[in-house]
Amino acid sequence: MISAQKIRVLIAKPGLDGHDRGAKVVARAMRDAGMEVIYTGIRQTPKQIVEATLQEDADCLAISILSGAHGTLIPDILRQLREAKLDDVLVLAGGIIPAEDVSALKAEGVREVFGPGTDTRHVAEFIRENVRKA
Amino acid sequence: MTPARSDDELLARFRNEDRSALARLLSLAENGRAADLLDRIDGLTGRAHVIGVTGSAGVGKSTLVDRLAAALRKRNRTVGVVCVDPSSPFTGGAVLGDRVRMSGLSVDPGIFIRSMSSRGAPGGLARTTGDLIRVLDAFGKGVVIVETVGVGQGEVEIAGMADTVVVLEVPGLGDFIQAIKAGILEIGDLFVVNKADRPGADEVRGHIEGMLEMSNDRSGWRPRVLTTVASQGQGIAELVDAIESHHEHLCRSGSLETRRRDRREAELRRIVQTEFLARLDGELARGGEFAGVVARVREGRLSPHRGAELLLGARRPGPDTAGSRAPT
């Protein structure tokens, strides 16, 4: 059958840091887990990220951020997601995010935060178990 | 969680130009789960100018599409973009990276970009790319641009989907004989030598023009060769002019209508083929007579051709052809 549905993951890099090695590793790992990964490149604004999430009908938005600006950029993205009625999208964060900031991000709506060294199989499993069911 | 929405509500929002309804309908169409919805929007289709952009990997298709879409927006067209990237043959997953070159466009409400995995289909497109084009067309996009997978040889399916096919080449890929082999010369309405600031651009252009002179002119349109440096926006306005004059030619000569009718028939054939194989698989899974035929073919007691005839109902089951043992 051709109706095999694939999980669509949008990987976004907001803000000014241009280091996307981690994002690319995750992109490839999710591909290898059989998902369809939309990679949008570096230095995206929250508005661009939310608009891409909408157009691509992504099931999961994975935000990679290393600049330290997660405290402002991620809540901004989550607010715009809610405004666009995209609150059923599973939002994950990764990169360099200090442990003391994790609970604040989760309170905002990030479902999980994955730091450096996370086994990508664990990320794939988390996505599979937590995306909306169509 | 969003509650399960009915088709009626989704269509109402779609007709009301709700972009998330468009996004959802595209997903349903991509997953082969929108037959009824596609039927209901069929009357809205057939208005968009469909432009195909194709060429080898690395020739700059995404960048060109980005600039082309921006230029069309300046001329007040609304634009839908479908970008097809290959799926991994090993895992079925895919990394769809065309948006990286299009980030400048993504916040313009007049543009809607959708990435799509080929999901194992040969030919440079996915099986349901035609359905996604129709959904964007029905939504009211004046132009739909389709970017194919980076093609090598023979991925010319775009010719059956687009009104205007733009074929990209670049200097330095070497022998233009490759393009001739690929059959890409026959499908192009316009040829673009991109990265024309690199050495060898004039030579590539000359090669293409020479080859085009030798080929048969089919529809009264003489394919043109243009040069661009898409990353700097050079030559884009001229390309848009050429695309528009091709569209005018198609309208004037009546070939637009012919192409569209051909496309609808091709779509019908594709759906019948897909559905037929799906039903066959269903029958086989249930066992019975169909499974018996397959088993006999597998064991060499029936030729594949004869087996196919049996499955298609062209012949009543008879004695085996290969060997003379009675069916068990």
Side-chain angles (χ1 to χ4, degrees):
Chain A
M1 289 298 289
I2 57 159
S3 63
Q5 194 166 343
K6 298 276 180 187
I7 293 173
R8 290 170 71 83
V9 181
L10 191 127
I11 297 188
K13 279 209 53 73
L16 295 177
D17 82 83
H19 304 282
D20 64 349
R21 194 185 162 90
K24 283 176 174 162
V25 168
V26 174
R28 184 160 173 201
M30 296 310 107
R31 180 199 73 172
D32 291 344
M35 300 177 192
E36 291 180 353
V37 180
I38 300 112
Y39 185 61
T40 57
I42 57 173
R43 300 198 178 95
Q44 299 286 295
T45 65
K47 190 171 164 55
Q48 284 174 322
I49 291 167
V50 172
E51 190 53 44
T53 306
L54 183 149
Q55 293 180 9
E56 298 291 353
D57 196 23
D59 304 299
C60 171
L61 169 60
I63 304 167
S64 163
I65 190 160
L66 302 142
S67 64
H70 49 270
T72 52
L73 288 169
I74 291 178
D76 194 5
I77 292 168
L78 291 164
R79 181 181 52 76
Q80 293 192 43
L81 282 174
R82 283 191 294 272
E83 284 169 9
K85 299 197 176 67
L86 296 172
D87 17 20
D88 61 337
V89 176
L90 173 69
V91 180
L92 308 176
I96 309 292
I97 294 172
E100 59 265 31
D101 295 347
V102 169
S103 59
L105 289 176
K106 283 190 173 175
E108 291 275 353
V110 174
R111 290 283 290 282
E112 193 53 89
V113 177
F114 297 102
T118 307
D119 186 333
T120 52
R121 283 171 301 189
H122 175 52
V123 180
E125 196 178 318
F126 187 88
I127 292 174
R128 262 199 215 98
E129 282 170 7
N130 289 281
V131 284
R132 63 188 173 192
K133 304 287 183 277
Chain B
M1 285 297 290
T2 319
R5 295 187 173 108
S6 71
D7 283 3
D8 287 344
E9 198 225 319
L10 184 65
L11 264 189
R13 291 197 296 128
F14 179 83
R15 291 206 173 99
N16 218 11
E17 297 186 19
D18 177 334
R19 294 150 60 76
S20 49
L22 168 59
R24 185 49 54 87
L25 190 44
L26 289 169
S27 300
L28 292 170
E30 180 175 21
N31 293 324
R33 291 167 50 193
D36 288 339
L37 287 161
L38 289 165
D39 176 56
R40 290 170 71 182
I41 62 169
D42 192 51
L44 300 171
T45 63
R47 294 176 300 177
H49 179 196
V50 183
I51 303 169
V53 176
T54 191
S56 310
V59 295
K61 292 183 294 299
S62 301
T63 304
L64 187 98
V65 168
D66 173 73
R67 300 306 154 98
L68 189 57
L72 286 161
R73 286 295 295 139
K74 283 205 186 104
R75 299 189 188 191
N76 282 322
R77 304 296 169 79
T78 53
V79 182
V81 180
V82 180
C83 306
V84 189
D85 265 333
S87 55
S88 157
F90 304 107
T91 66
V95 174
L96 313 175
D98 293 312
R99 289 192 86 99
V100 173
R101 312 260 180 246
M102 301 182 192
S103 57
L105 299 176
S106 59
V107 294
D108 173 353
I111 294 187
F112 196 101
I113 304 167
R114 185 60 178 244
S115 315
M116 156 170 232
S117 157
S118 66
R119 295 194 179 170
L125 298 174
R127 284 183 194 85
T128 52
T129 299
D131 286 335
L132 268 65
I133 296 170
R134 266 192 300 285
V135 171
L136 287 162
D137 180 2
F139 192 74
K141 294 299 180 195
V143 177
V144 177
I145 305 175
V146 183
E147 179 187 335
T148 73
V149 168
V151 299
Q153 298 178 346
E155 290 98 340
V156 294
E157 207 168 88
I158 187 64
M161 295 275 175
D163 301 317
T164 303
V165 176
V166 179
V167 174
L168 256 71
E169 291 286 337
V170 288
L173 276 192
D175 202 343
F176 196 67
I177 252 343
Q178 296 300 339
I180 303 167
K181 275 201 293 193
I184 221 147
L185 218 51
E186 286 83 351
I187 66 164
D189 298 301
L190 295 167
F191 291 84
V192 172
V193 181
N194 191 33
K195 308 189 188 182
D197 52 345
R198 292 188 180 175
D202 288 338
E203 201 185 333
V204 175
R205 185 190 176 132
H207 272 303
I208 301 173
E209 281 171 344
M211 294 309 303
L212 288 173
E213 266 165 37
M214 284 189 275
S215 60
N216 295 328
D217 154 35
R218 298 157 301 159
S219 59
W221 169 260
R222 238 190 108 68
R224 290 173 52 191
V225 188
L226 297 101
T227 50
T228 56
V229 185
S231 60
Q232 290 162 41
Q234 275 176 39
I236 300 299
E238 292 80 357
L239 175 59
V240 178
D241 289 342
I243 287 170
E244 287 185 345
S245 62
H246 181 248
H247 190 242
E248 278 162 28
H249 164 80
L250 290 176
C251 295
R252 252 200 332 270
S253 64
S255 21
L256 187 68
E257 195 49 39
T258 314
R259 282 191 187 204
R260 289 189 174 172
R261 289 179 179 191
D262 289 351
R263 208 187 299 163
R264 285 178 70 83
E265 183 180 334
E267 199 56 30
L268 171 69
R269 288 167 181 274
R270 182 192 68 79
I271 295 164
V272 169
Q273 198 176 12
T274 312
E275 280 299 308
F276 182 80
L277 289 175
R279 283 184 197 182
L280 183 64
D281 283 340
E283 283 294 332
L284 291 177
R286 272 192 287 282
E289 197 187 326
F290 274 63
V293 171
V294 174
R296 282 152 69 198
V297 171
R298 286 174 62 96
E299 289 154 17
R301 292 189 286 133
L302 192 62
S303 76
H305 281 95
R306 185 71 195 282
E309 282 177 353
L310 290 175
L311 293 185
L312 289 165
R315 281 197 201 176
R316 304 212 160 271
D320 293 341
T321 48
S324 56
R325 280 189 299 147
T328 44

